[in-house]
């Protein structure tokens, strides 16, 4: 049978089909326009039509398709269920009721901390997360036997002893001191890695913000003043203390605690009943570190500090489990929408 005759038979069939309800409309649609429907079959056959007939047969087929579509449209209009009608998209509708996303709490805290230091004249610097031993350890006065280099703490890339994931943002200090002349007044936010799977709560990746200030005559008192101003601006708490500590790259070194208070049961819990909370490590840059980066320790001095952003964000928002930061649970994240 020629394709032309088939088309006219189908045309007649379409015209005589009675559409009586929504189901018959849907059956009609599937029968003629479905993926395995008659129209698709015809288009398959059309490929074999000799070229000189293609134009004529093509027009007939298009006419048929149109007739089917018109019948289908009128059937759908007549029998469509209510919900179908509502689904007709309204191109004039505004999309204002779509929810906006929110910024991640770690990012909010990071921005706020950087903002406070930028008001004090610190600029932001960046450095690579994949580093060499020099910038993470040796240039920072870590002796060859220092335990921080141990496999337990450091991720080595491809097992190469000189290629590591940085364990702290102090590596950026070295990079900046190697390339810039004092005065240097910078803050360095970034992601750091430690191989510390002590418990399921521990995380191998977290964030730090590092600070560095080097100039002539910079003193421990300057450091204390800057950290005091930061604590007041960020936490709204005025009392800090510096406890002696040890870092290979600072001398003297300290931990800075802030007096959190003991007013609520939560205060008692997070400060373990002491009222004090440890916030960051800090100290005067060791002269060996200055010299290793080509800065004259006879002429210049400076201080450095470093803090974990997760810990600060937990304190700021009263978050009790580190894992919330990495699980991307919308119920958690959407709580920070208001802080935009
Ligand atoms: N790098 C230290 C750490 O990761 C923090 C620190 C930075 C301490 C700068 C002193 C000065 O624990």
């Amino acid at each position: 049978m020629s394709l032309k005759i088939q088309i006219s038979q189908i045309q007649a069939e379409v015209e005589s089909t009675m559409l009586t309800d929504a189901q018959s409309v849907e059956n009609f649609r599937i029968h003629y326009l479905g993926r395995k429907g008659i129209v698709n079959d015809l288009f398959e056959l059309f490929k074999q039509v000799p070229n000189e007939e293609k134009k004529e047969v093509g027009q007939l087929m298009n006419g048929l398709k149109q007739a089917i579509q018109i019948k289908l449209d009128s059937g759908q209009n007549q029998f469509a269920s209510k919900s179908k009608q509502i689904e007709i998209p309204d191109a004039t509708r505004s999309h204002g009721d779509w929810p906006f996303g929110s910024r991640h709490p770690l990012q909010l805290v990071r921005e706020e901390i950087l903002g406070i230091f930028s008001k004090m004249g610190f600029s932001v610097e960046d450095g690579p997360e994949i580093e060499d031993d020099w910038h993470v350890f040796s240039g920072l006065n870590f002796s060859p036997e220092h335990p921080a280099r141990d496999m337990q703490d450091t991720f080595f890339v491809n097992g190469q002893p000189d290629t590591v994931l940085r364990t702290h943002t102090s590596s950026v200090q070295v990079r900046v001191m190697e390339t810039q002349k004092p005065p240097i007044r910078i803050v360095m936010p970034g992601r750091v890695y430690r191989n510390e799977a002590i418990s399921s709560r521990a995380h191998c990746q977290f964030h730090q913000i590092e600070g560095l200030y080097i100039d002539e005559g910079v003193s421990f008192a300057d450091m204390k003043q800057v950290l005091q101003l930061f604590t007041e601006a960020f936490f709204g708490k005025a009392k800090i203390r510096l406890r002696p500590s040890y870092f290979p790259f600072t001398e003297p070194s300290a931990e800075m605690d802030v007096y959190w208070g003991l007013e609520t049961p939560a205060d008692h819990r997070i400060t373990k009943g002491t009222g004090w909370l440890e916030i960051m490590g800090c100290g005067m840059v060791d002269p060996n570190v200055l010299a290793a980066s080509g800065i004259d320790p006879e002429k210049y001095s400076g201080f450095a500090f470093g803090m974990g952003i997760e810990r600060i964000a937990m304190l700021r928002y009263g978050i009790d489990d580190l894992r919330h930061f990495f699980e991307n649970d919308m119920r958690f994240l959407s709580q920070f929408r208001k802080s935009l």
Side-chain angles (χ1 to χ4, degrees):
M1 205 197 299
S2 91
L3 195 50
K4 278 197 268 182
I5 298 176
Q6 280 192 50
I7 292 171
S8 67
Q9 279 182 356
I10 296 168
Q11 185 104 32
E13 204 180 283
V14 167
E15 274 157 26
S16 63
T17 306
M18 298 287 282
L19 298 178
T20 50
D21 54 15
Q23 188 57 52
S24 67
V25 174
E26 183 58 6
N27 292 345
F28 178 84
R29 186 188 68 76
I30 294 170
H31 183 65
Y32 290 101
L33 297 180
R35 208 157 45 81
K36 294 188 179 142
I38 290 196
V39 168
N40 273 350
D41 285 351
L42 287 178
F43 276 100
E44 268 310 303
L45 294 172
F46 183 70
K47 290 181 189 156
Q48 286 144 30
V49 171
N51 274 346
E52 58 277 16
E53 285 179 36
K54 275 221 157 93
K55 190 169 172 213
E56 190 196 348
V57 178
Q59 277 171 355
L60 288 174
M61 284 184 42
N62 281 336
L64 171 64
K65 213 178 150 188
Q66 244 174 13
I68 293 170
Q69 192 63 54
I70 289 168
K71 183 143 192 154
L72 180 64
D73 287 348
S74 81
Q76 280 177 337
N77 279 341
Q78 202 180 340
F79 300 112
S81 66
K82 264 207 168 135
S83 66
K84 276 254 169 66
Q85 279 172 350
I86 291 168
E87 269 169 23
I88 295 170
D90 171 6
T92 63
R93 206 188 73 188
S94 113
H95 71 344
D97 53 351
W98 290 1
F100 282 103
S102 52
R103 296 178 76 194
H104 194 280
L106 291 179
Q107 202 194 359
L108 292 169
V109 165
R110 172 185 179 277
E111 295 303 315
E112 192 177 337
I113 296 174
L114 293 182
I116 292 169
F117 282 108
S118 92
K119 279 192 198 140
M120 290 194 256
F122 287 74
S123 57
V124 178
E125 289 283 346
D126 200 7
E129 291 175 23
I130 298 176
E131 266 292 8
D132 50 31
D133 178 275
W134 172 257
H135 291 96
V136 180
F137 298 126
S138 302
L140 286 162
N141 206 29
F142 279 80
S143 63
E145 318 74 45
H146 196 283
R149 294 164 180 256
D150 203 290
M151 289 297 262
Q152 318 256 289
D153 273 312
T154 309
F155 285 110
F156 294 87
V157 177
N158 296 335
Q160 294 181 26
D162 195 37
T163 313
V164 304
L165 297 182
R166 66 180 178 194
T167 57
H168 53 182
T169 42
S170 305
S171 53
V172 189
Q173 285 188 32
V174 180
R175 291 201 170 264
V176 172
M177 288 191 286
E178 282 171 343
T179 52
Q180 295 180 21
K181 298 253 155 301
I184 295 172
R185 190 155 48 177
I186 51 170
V187 271
M188 300 148 274
R191 195 175 283 158
V192 300
Y193 303 85
R194 285 185 202 175
N195 195 0
E196 284 176 346
I198 323 157
S199 76
S200 65
R201 277 166 184 258
H203 219 275
C204 296
Q205 173 217 298
F206 55 103
H207 301 79
Q208 289 186 330
I209 290 186
E210 187 95 3
L212 178 69
Y213 183 16
I214 300 174
D215 202 352
E216 287 179 44
V218 175
S219 70
F220 199 86
D222 294 328
M223 178 177 86
K224 188 170 178 192
Q225 181 68 14
V226 164
L227 299 184
Q228 169 91 38
L229 287 173
F230 164 72
T231 309
E232 280 172 28
F234 188 84
F235 292 109
K237 313 250 180 197
K239 211 154 108 188
I240 65 167
R241 74 179 180 195
L242 293 164
R243 268 182 302 111
S245 183
Y246 174 76
F247 300 102
F249 39 94
T250 47
E251 180 59 34
S253 305
E255 300 284 349
M256 188 200 87
D257 299 340
V258 50
Y259 188 69
W260 197 256
L262 282 172
E263 277 152 38
T264 66
D267 292 345
H268 277 267
R269 185 168 41 83
I270 60 175
T271 68
K272 300 198 175 74
T274 65
W276 289 95
L277 271 180
E278 184 181 313
I279 300 293
M280 66 174 96
C282 56
M284 300 305 290
V285 180
D286 193 302
N288 287 340
V289 172
L290 294 175
S293 298
I295 291 178
D296 180 1
E298 300 293 332
K299 188 166 177 206
Y300 295 105
S301 59
F303 62 81
F305 54 89
M307 62 192 120
I309 304 182
E310 277 79 359
R311 176 163 166 74
I312 308 270
M314 287 170 90
L315 291 171
R316 161 54 59 91
Y317 297 116
I319 295 164
D320 58 3
D321 192 328
L322 196 57
R323 286 172 293 188
H324 288 307
F325 290 127
F326 305 100
E327 283 171 349
N328 284 335
D329 184 331
M330 289 297 288
R331 290 167 302 177
F332 172 74
L333 295 175
S334 61
Q335 294 178 68
F336 301 93
R337 194 163 288 150
K338 286 192 287 297
S339 334
L340 263 176

